Amino acid sequence: MLDCEHGLSGRGVRRQPGGAVTTAEDVTAPVTRKPRSHASRASVGRRTWTAWRRVPVSFQVVGLIGAALVFLFIRFTVDDAFISWRYALTLVHSGKWNYTAGIPRVEAYTDFLYTVIAVVPAALHIPIELFYKLVSLAILGGYLVVVRRAAIGRLQKLALAAIVLCNPAFMIMLFSGLETVSFSFGVAVLFALVYRNGALGRLGYAIALAVALSRPEGVAFAGVAMLWSLVITRRRAQWVGLIAVGAAWGAYWLWRWSYFGFFWPGAYYIKSGSRGAVSLQVVNVLDGLVPAVVVAGLVLLVAALVPQIDRRAVRNLVGTPQDTTPLVLALSSAAIVLGLYHSSNLEMDFVNRFQWQLLFPVVLVALSRPLGARVRLNTAAAGAGPHPAGAGPHPGAAGPPRLTVRFTTRRETRPMPSPAEFWALLAVVVATVTALADEPARLGQIAVAGAAIVVAVAVVLRAALGNQAATILAAVALAVVVSSSTVGELVTWGAYRIRLQNAHQALGQVINAAPFNGAVAIADAGLLPFKLHQPVIDLGGLASAPVAHGTLTTADLARDHLDLVIALSSGPGAGSQWSVGTGEVVYVYMLNQHWPSSEGPPFNNGYWLDYWINPAVNTPKLDAAIARVTAQAITENLQSDSTILGDHLLDFPFLTNTNS
């Protein structure tokens, strides 16, 4: 112990009064701390290499693939992320919680937590985009730490690591700057806590509140998880947690309703598939649920036609709600995906992110418990007395019997999965059917069709052979179904941020340096407005309440001193601008004012940022600057995605994109 604590060899050791320990050399020479030598650093390197060599080869391969995908996609940031970040800048610069100070309030974000967190780097003058890259890496690292420490089998850990690290779609969503991955992980953790422990503790209720504040539909998942925890564990703490989270979310919702003036976030009024009566919206949602209802009916019909199933075993499986948690999650996700999402006009659905964020948690929850192991049920729910955790089944309660099916042709019984695994498999099947019912066209992709077949085969193998690895295979196949993307799509998103840098970012920097403070109108609320100090009118409506609700008038434009209009166009010439609904008021206004137009930088061949400018604020210097970035964008952005990505593999725009 002495050697370990003090780094001494043990020779010539003397103990001084008070417990001090010295060597013979210490008596005559003062103690000096030697700087770490190259040899010691080499020793650290050798230890790191030794630790890496001890990692199983399968995990090494997964880790190396993950590192390559991180390098490739960490540069990706979706344009919508900058909408939230502009709120943080506006708050820091003006003290106003709004997209643009001095313009009517609008709730352009859906992720309240991510928007609030962005205030931290904005206040500290840290580039917000860089800050969120670090947040994304922290989320990935935290996930891997949790998987490494989880009390599950090695094969399950490998599967949980692989479906993330070897998943290009996951990496794109992770580094997008949006809440997609954190929200999905939050939902998974909520239901995994219930699935493993039978109840939500303080951490669980904190996560429930975070999920509810992350996205509008998050309150549905938080509510289901808390109610399911209450069903399993009928204790006072569960009631207290449910009421506390509900009250906090209710207070937030009332505040935002009062502050912004509308009950729903701004995105709802733009992306909702139906803006009619509530009854009509309910009909549309139910229409989307028809595929799920049909599948559920077929499952019930098959069950009714198999009289050889042990009815008592079925009743006991239904009587263990903790084990059915994955199915509860899968059904909740199916209701939102097929009901709400399916009837909405969802934009920026890159790599299937909306469906992914609700169905991927089913994979994580299904693999969060050791396969084949029985986790104790909460005895309070069954009316039994206290029972310490980890003490095995309650002495007064028999464990749920294994479901057996008698095959009349061979007169024998075969063991089915344990109750927990049975419901996990069923949840995987429901999530797979949901994904395919939501987008049947994706069955045309070989990877999706093959993964769907693997799910079906894995379920049969688990039932017939009792092989637990088949359950892992089914979960991994579901991850493939919801994450599958074509190579062309992945390359497109890999080049996306470079295109943004050459067009939106470059044009925004030029305009920001222009000597005018009038409003800029643009049908894009993302990166370009993020670079501007001028007021912004979003012609798309996300960041403009008058546009979203169809009340925009020329009086509003005069009040905001409109000086520049950037019209998203299909070509470089005037008249090619895209129609933007209520935003047409702006185009009529600029044409009536006889503003001159010029081509702006292209994002790609069919997407140009043409502009019209008030002659009173235009200068030759501004025209020359815009012409310069336009010429650069024409040279860069009119190339193919693969060429752009290959030419910019060592370019990371988030390192140079400041907050101004």
Side-chain angles (χ1 to χ4, degrees), residues 455-523:
V455 171
V457 172
V459 172
V460 173
L461 289 177
R462 183 62 183 92
L465 304 179
N467 187 350
Q468 294 175 0
T471 302
I472 300 176
L473 182 62
V476 172
L478 170 59
V480 173
V481 169
V482 299
S483 303
S484 179
S485 301
T486 64
V487 174
E489 185 179 5
L490 296 176
V491 172
T492 295
W493 292 116
Y496 172 89
R497 183 60 180 87
I498 302 299
R499 292 184 181 276
L500 276 182
Q501 176 178 246
N502 294 331
H504 298 66
Q505 182 174 328
L507 183 58
Q509 289 170 333
V510 167
I511 296 173
N512 191 53
F516 71 87
N517 294 314
V520 178
I522 177 175

Side-chain angles (χ1 to χ4, degrees), residues 447-620:
V448 174
I453 294 173
V454 168
V455 171
V457 172
V459 172
V460 173
L461 289 177
R462 183 62 183 92
L465 304 179
N467 187 350
Q468 294 175 0
T471 302
I472 300 176
L473 182 62
V476 172
L478 170 59
V480 173
V481 169
V482 299
S483 303
S484 179
S485 301
T486 64
V487 174
E489 185 179 5
L490 296 176
V491 172
T492 295
W493 292 116
Y496 172 89
R497 183 60 180 87
I498 302 299
R499 292 184 181 276
L500 276 182
Q501 176 178 246
N502 294 331
H504 298 66
Q505 182 174 328
L507 183 58
Q509 289 170 333
V510 167
I511 296 173
N512 191 53
F516 71 87
N517 294 314
V520 178
I522 177 175
D524 190 326
L527 176 54
L528 198 161
F530 176 80
K531 304 300 297 182
L532 303 180
H533 71 265
Q534 293 92 342
V536 174
I537 300 173
D538 173 27
L539 302 183
L542 280 177
S544 176
V547 174
H549 297 278
T551 62
L552 184 70
T553 65
T554 55
D556 296 323
L557 305 179
R559 178 201 62 208
D560 297 330
H561 305 289
L562 180 64
D563 280 335
L564 177 66
V565 178
I566 301 172
L568 307 186
S569 308
S570 59
S576 63
Q577 63 268 20
W578 299 335
S579 175
V580 291
T582 308
E584 288 288 350
V585 173
V586 173
Y587 294 156
V588 173
Y589 178 85
M590 70 188 187
L591 293 176
N592 289 339
Q593 296 291 324
H594 303 291
W595 288 2
S597 67
S598 297
E599 68 177 19
F603 177 81
N604 59 32
N605 283 287
Y607 178 1
W608 293 67
L609 303 177
D610 297 334
Y611 70 97
W612 282 252
I613 189 167
N614 183 354
V617 302
N618 195 19
T619 64

Side-chain angles (χ1 to χ4, degrees), residues 137-215:
L137 290 174
I139 291 173
L140 177 59
Y143 171 84
L144 295 177
V145 169
V146 170
V147 169
R148 181 177 181 273
R149 296 181 177 180
I152 55 178
R154 176 175 162 181
L155 189 57
Q156 283 177 255
K157 291 184 178 182
L158 179 62
L160 287 170
I163 59 177
V164 163
L165 292 177
C166 300
N167 189 341
F170 170 84
M171 293 299 179
I172 290 175
M173 287 180 279
L174 176 67
F175 294 114
S176 67
L178 298 180
E179 76 292 344
T180 305
V181 169
S182 61
F183 175 74
S184 182
F185 280 0
V187 171
V189 170
L190 264 185
F191 284 86
L193 287 173
V194 178
Y195 188 38
R196 290 178 63 93
N197 305 329
L200 291 173
R202 293 180 179 177
L203 174 62
Y205 286 104
I207 295 175
L209 181 59
V211 168
L213 296 178
S214 292
R215 291 188 58 85

Side-chain angles (χ1 to χ4, degrees), residues 191-552:
F191 284 86
L193 287 173
V194 178
Y195 188 38
R196 290 178 63 93
N197 305 329
L200 291 173
R202 293 180 179 177
L203 174 62
Y205 286 104
I207 295 175
L209 181 59
V211 168
L213 296 178
S214 292
R215 291 188 58 85
E217 65 269 38
V219 68
F221 288 92
V224 170
M226 291 187 294
L227 288 173
W228 197 243
S229 174
L230 185 61
V231 168
I232 298 171
T233 308
R234 300 183 181 92
R235 292 177 180 170
R236 181 174 178 272
Q238 310 304 308
W239 281 107
V240 171
L242 175 62
I243 294 172
V245 172
W249 179 84
Y252 157 73
W253 198 263
L254 290 175
W255 167 81
R256 52 151 303 281
W257 185 10
S258 172
Y259 186 82
F260 293 110
F262 298 98
F263 183 77
W264 298 109
Y268 169 80
Y269 299 100
I270 298 297
K271 299 179 180 179
S272 173
S274 172
R275 303 185 194 182
V278 174
S279 58
L280 179 60
Q281 297 181 40
V282 171
V283 170
N284 288 337
V285 169
L286 293 178
D287 181 64
L289 287 173
V290 167
V293 173
V294 171
V295 172
L298 291 175
V299 171
L300 293 175
L301 179 62
V302 171
L305 295 177
V306 185
Q308 299 300 326
I309 293 182
D310 186 341
R311 302 294 182 180
R312 178 175 173 274
V314 172
R315 286 194 298 270
N316 280 302
L317 282 175
V318 175
T320 57
Q322 180 178 346
D323 287 336
T324 65
T325 301
L327 182 60
V328 172
L329 170 59
L331 293 175
S332 302
S333 300
I336 301 296
V337 170
L338 297 178
L340 180 61
Y341 286 177
H342 201 70
S343 61
S344 299
N345 301 320
L346 301 177
E347 299 177 358
M348 294 307 290
D349 189 17
F350 52 91
V351 289
N352 202 37
R353 74 180 180 99
F354 287 102
Q355 183 190 104
W356 184 93
Q357 70 183 1
L358 300 190
L359 297 181
F360 191 74
V362 176
V363 180
L364 303 182
V365 174
L367 296 178
S368 65
R369 270 171 59 169
L371 296 178
R374 296 176 185 269
V375 176
R376 74 175 181 87
L377 300 177
N378 186 280
T379 53
H387 186 52
H394 191 278
R402 297 175 67 82
L403 177 63
T404 59
V405 179
R406 181 174 297 279
F407 296 89
T408 55
T409 56
R410 298 185 60 185
R411 294 294 181 181
E412 64 179 2
T413 60
R414 294 180 182 271
M416 291 292 282
S418 65
E421 196 173 345
F422 172 81
W423 293 112
L425 273 171
L426 187 56
V428 169
V429 172
V430 169
T432 304
V433 172
T434 299
L436 299 179
D438 181 45
E439 293 187 75
R442 296 185 73 230
L443 271 172
Q445 299 180 19
I446 296 178
V448 174
I453 294 173
V454 168
V455 171
V457 172
V459 172
V460 173
L461 289 177
R462 183 62 183 92
L465 304 179
N467 187 350
Q468 294 175 0
T471 302
I472 300 176
L473 182 62
V476 172
L478 170 59
V480 173
V481 169
V482 299
S483 303
S484 179
S485 301
T486 64
V487 174
E489 185 179 5
L490 296 176
V491 172
T492 295
W493 292 116
Y496 172 89
R497 183 60 180 87
I498 302 299
R499 292 184 181 276
L500 276 182
Q501 176 178 246
N502 294 331
H504 298 66
Q505 182 174 328
L507 183 58
Q509 289 170 333
V510 167
I511 296 173
N512 191 53
F516 71 87
N517 294 314
V520 178
I522 177 175
D524 190 326
L527 176 54
L528 198 161
F530 176 80
K531 304 300 297 182
L532 303 180
H533 71 265
Q534 293 92 342
V536 174
I537 300 173
D538 173 27
L539 302 183
L542 280 177
S544 176
V547 174
H549 297 278
T551 62
L552 184 70

Side-chain angles (χ1 to χ4, degrees), residues 79-103:
D79 196 44
D80 284 12
F82 295 94
I83 297 175
S84 298
W85 300 345
R86 183 175 166 92
Y87 279 81
L89 292 181
T90 302
L91 179 66
V92 170
H93 294 157
S94 68
K96 306 294 184 181
W97 185 251
N98 198 19
Y99 185 74
T100 293
I103 281 183

